[in-house]
Amino acid sequence: MKKIIATQNAPAALGPYSQAVRNGNILFLSGQLGLVPKTGEMAGADAAAQARQALENLRAVLEAAGATLGNVCKTTVFLKDMSDFQEFNSVYAEYFPAEYPARSCFAVAELPKNARVEIEAIAVLDN
């Protein structure tokens, strides 16, 4: 049983996809950029500011589904430049201070809106 999750507290989708889809107790969250929901602009030019906003956007979508960052089991991170890895990790550790989710991290040639960071996640929800 598929249920679409949407919130105005995170940026609207930039294409034909949902912010998140819940199937049973699994929540699949689409990639979030560091866009400020109210303005549609990047939170800043650097990876830290964009990572922080992307994680806040993920948090907002999780909350719309009745979950928290503590429900996240897996993240996939896309960085425009791997030289941002340490800066990104510092911010990420603020949001996941213990019992880290599994994670993959890739450098990619380009991201939408010329972003430096995009983060997607999979969460398991309580019944």
Side-chain angles (χ1 to χ4, degrees):
M1 179 192 300
K2 183 167 91 168
K3 179 181 178 188
I4 303 301
I5 306 297
T7 179
Q8 293 182 352
N9 295 326
L14 298 175
Y17 60 90
S18 301
Q19 290 173 324
V21 175
R22 181 177 180 166
N23 193 333
N25 68 337
I26 306 293
L27 183 66
F28 301 91
L29 294 96
S30 292
Q32 289 290 328
L33 303 173
L35 295 172
V36 177
K38 291 182 181 179
T39 66
E41 300 296 323
M42 286 294 167
D46 61 62
Q50 290 185 24
R52 187 167 281 108
Q53 185 63 54
L55 288 160
E56 289 296 332
N57 294 340
L58 280 177
R59 184 191 323 245
V61 177
L62 284 160
E63 288 175 355
T68 69
L69 289 167
N71 293 99
V72 173
C73 293
K74 170 76 167 82
T75 60
T76 304
V77 177
F78 306 94
L79 298 175
K80 185 174 181 180
D81 188 331
M82 204 49 103
S83 67
D84 290 333
F85 188 73
Q86 287 304 110
E87 186 178 0
F88 169 80
N89 269 339
S90 294
V91 173
Y92 188 87
E94 293 172 21
Y95 286 81
F96 297 104
E99 296 184 9
Y100 306 117
R103 184 179 88 182
S104 301
C105 184
F106 304 94
V108 296
E110 192 172 358
L111 290 167
K113 296 220 171 226
N114 203 30
R116 299 197 66 77
V117 176
E118 182 172 0
I119 309 166
E120 65 181 29
I122 300 171
V124 176
L125 308 178
D126 302 325
N127 293 331

